Amino acid sequence: MAGGRCGPQLTALLAAWVAAVAATAGPEQAALPAEQSWVQPMTASNWTLVMEGEWMLKFYAPWCPSCQQTDSEWETFAKNGEMLQISVGKVDVIQEPGLSGRFFVTTLPAFFHAKDGIFRRYRGPGIFEDLQNYILEKKWQSVEPLTGWKSPASLTMSGMAGLFSISGKIWHLHNYFTVTLGIPAWCSYVFFVIATLVFGLFMGLVLVVISECFYVPLPRHLSERSEQNGRSEEAHRAEQLQDAEEEKDDSNEEENKDSLVDDEEEKEDLGDEDEAEEEEEEDNLAAGVDEERSEANDQGPPGEDSVTREEVEPEEAEEGVSEKPCPADTEVVEDSLRQRKSQHADKGL
């Protein structure tokens, strides 16, 4: 009886153990397809693999609906990678912000083609047939490659990758403060502002120390020579400025002298012309006086009575002539001459 009772119990235990083994083996078998994915995840540590051979990369985010729609097509394309002689990879921009900055990804999903270190942007749909034709027909040859500073391997994009990685770390830290610890958002912002100021001051101090370490002071005799040369140059410049000012002053003085000489010559010419006019007027007046005297002598011809009178009274006639006043015409002429002289003198002044 005891043996009969133990038999069913052993069989029940064996059945339970088989069920437990099946239950544990089920999830493992379900996870096998995911583990056998032909798409290679790319990170900051292994992204340099794309510099050799031919690759196709996909940048995605887990929350992106468009990225989720192209997952199955991308897996199919990766399975046929051996036939197409191409490697297929993917980059999670949430986990690898540095790689998204290196390739300067601004839209999702983003596809890139790489051939021996030369990168091109694939802008077609993420469908298996289009991707396959892009490789088989070599349509990538008609696409302009990313060269210069846009190339992911350039120094510029390496710096961009560093900035994106820092921003990703700051974002994760902000989420840790606000979500995990429950700190208000403004407190997190204040913390980052203070940290930025402190970091900037620290980096400035480091730069000053580095410059002091690598700075080699000049010997004294060289520094003295440089100072003397600087002083001599300043003195030479000052002398040049003084010479230029003196030349300007001399030229101004010469111009003033020339103008004064010209004015004096003009005045002298005017004075000579006035004197010539005055002499002509005096000559004309003198000629007029002589004509008047000759006319007066012609009107009274000398007769016998006059001759006798002149002979009898010569002394009286001479006294009468000496006592007679100047005629009015001569006085008028003299007055006009004086007025003109005074006018010419006023003009000369």
Side-chain angles (χ1 to χ4, degrees):
M1 296 292 294
R5 291 179 181 177
C6 289
Q9 292 179 358
L10 289 173
T11 55
L13 291 173
L14 289 172
W17 180 77
V18 171
V21 170
T24 55
E28 290 179 358
Q29 291 177 357
L32 283 176
E35 292 178 356
Q36 292 177 355
S37 176
W38 294 90
V39 180
Q40 184 175 356
M42 306 303 295
T43 61
S45 59
N46 66 349
W47 81 271
T48 53
L49 295 175
V50 301
M51 300 296 291
E52 297 178 358
E54 190 171 6
W55 283 76
M56 283 293 291
L57 295 178
K58 173 187 174 182
F59 288 82
Y60 72 101
W63 48 263
C64 176
S66 299
C67 300
Q68 294 173 2
Q69 291 175 2
T70 59
D71 285 341
S72 60
E73 299 288 339
W74 196 252
E75 288 289 341
T76 305
F77 178 65
K79 288 178 181 179
N80 295 323
E82 293 182 358
M83 181 185 69
L84 299 173
Q85 296 181 356
I86 188 171
S87 301
V88 181
K90 62 180 180 180
V91 180
D92 187 354
V93 296
I94 302 300
Q95 300 296 328
E96 300 293 335
L99 281 181
S100 64
R102 184 178 293 276
F103 285 81
F104 201 71
V105 176
T106 56
T107 58
L108 294 175
F111 303 96
F112 287 88
H113 174 265
K115 176 70 173 178
D116 296 330
I118 299 175
F119 297 87
R120 292 176 174 85
R121 181 73 179 267
Y122 172 76
R123 299 185 182 277
I127 301 173
F128 168 70
E129 294 179 356
D130 294 330
L131 293 169
Q132 186 176 5
N133 294 330
Y134 185 77
I135 300 301
L136 291 175
E137 297 177 4
K138 295 184 178 181
K139 294 181 179 180
W140 51 268
Q141 293 180 353
S142 61
V143 180
E144 185 179 358
L146 302 175
T147 58
W149 66 273
K150 294 182 180 180
S151 177
S154 64
L155 182 62
T156 306
M157 301 313 291
S158 298
M160 188 70 69
L163 291 176
F164 271 65
S165 61
I166 292 171
S167 65
K169 292 178 181 179
I170 292 173
W171 181 73
H172 287 297
L173 186 60
H174 176 71
N175 288 335
Y176 176 74
F177 287 157
T178 56
V179 177
T180 305
L181 300 179
I183 297 174
W186 65 270
C187 293
S188 178
Y189 295 149
V190 170
F191 171 77
F192 285 117
V193 169
I194 296 172
T196 302
L197 293 175
V198 172
F199 181 75
L201 294 173
F202 177 74
M203 291 301 296
L205 179 62
V206 170
L207 291 175
V208 170
V209 172
I210 292 171
S211 63
E212 289 292 334
C213 293
F214 288 96
Y215 174 72
V216 179
L218 294 173
R220 290 184 179 179
H221 62 279
L222 294 176
S223 60
E224 291 176 357
R225 286 181 182 177
S226 61
E227 291 178 358
Q228 290 177 358
N229 292 329
R231 292 176 183 176
S232 62
E233 289 178 358
E234 291 178 356
H236 183 64
R237 290 177 183 175
E239 290 178 358
Q240 289 180 351
L241 292 173
Q242 290 179 358
D243 294 337
E245 291 177 356
E246 290 177 357
E247 289 177 357
K248 289 181 181 179
D249 295 335
D250 294 337
S251 62
N252 293 328
E253 289 179 358
E254 289 177 357
E255 290 178 356
N256 294 328
K257 288 180 181 179
D258 294 335
S259 62
L260 292 172
V261 170
D262 294 334
D263 294 336
E264 291 178 357
E265 290 178 354
E266 290 178 357
K267 288 180 181 179
E268 289 178 357
D269 295 335
L270 293 173
D272 294 336
E273 291 177 357
D274 294 337
E275 290 179 359
E277 291 177 355
E278 290 176 358
E279 290 178 357
E280 290 179 358
E281 290 176 356
E282 289 178 357
D283 293 337
N284 293 327
L285 292 173
V289 172
D290 293 335
E291 289 177 357
E292 290 177 357
R293 288 179 180 177
S294 62
E295 289 176 359
N297 291 328
D298 293 336
Q299 289 178 2
E304 293 179 356
D305 295 333
S306 63
V307 172
T308 55
R309 189 175 179 181
E310 287 177 356
E311 291 178 353
V312 174
E313 297 178 352
E315 295 178 356
E316 293 178 359
E318 291 177 357
E319 292 177 358
V321 171
S322 61
E323 290 177 358
K324 286 180 181 180
C326 295
D329 294 332
T330 57
E331 291 178 357
V332 172
V333 170
E334 290 177 357
D335 293 334
S336 63
L337 289 173
R338 289 174 183 173
Q339 290 177 358
R340 289 180 180 178
K341 287 181 180 180
S342 62
Q343 290 176 359
H344 287 305
D346 294 335
K347 291 179 179 179
L349 292 174

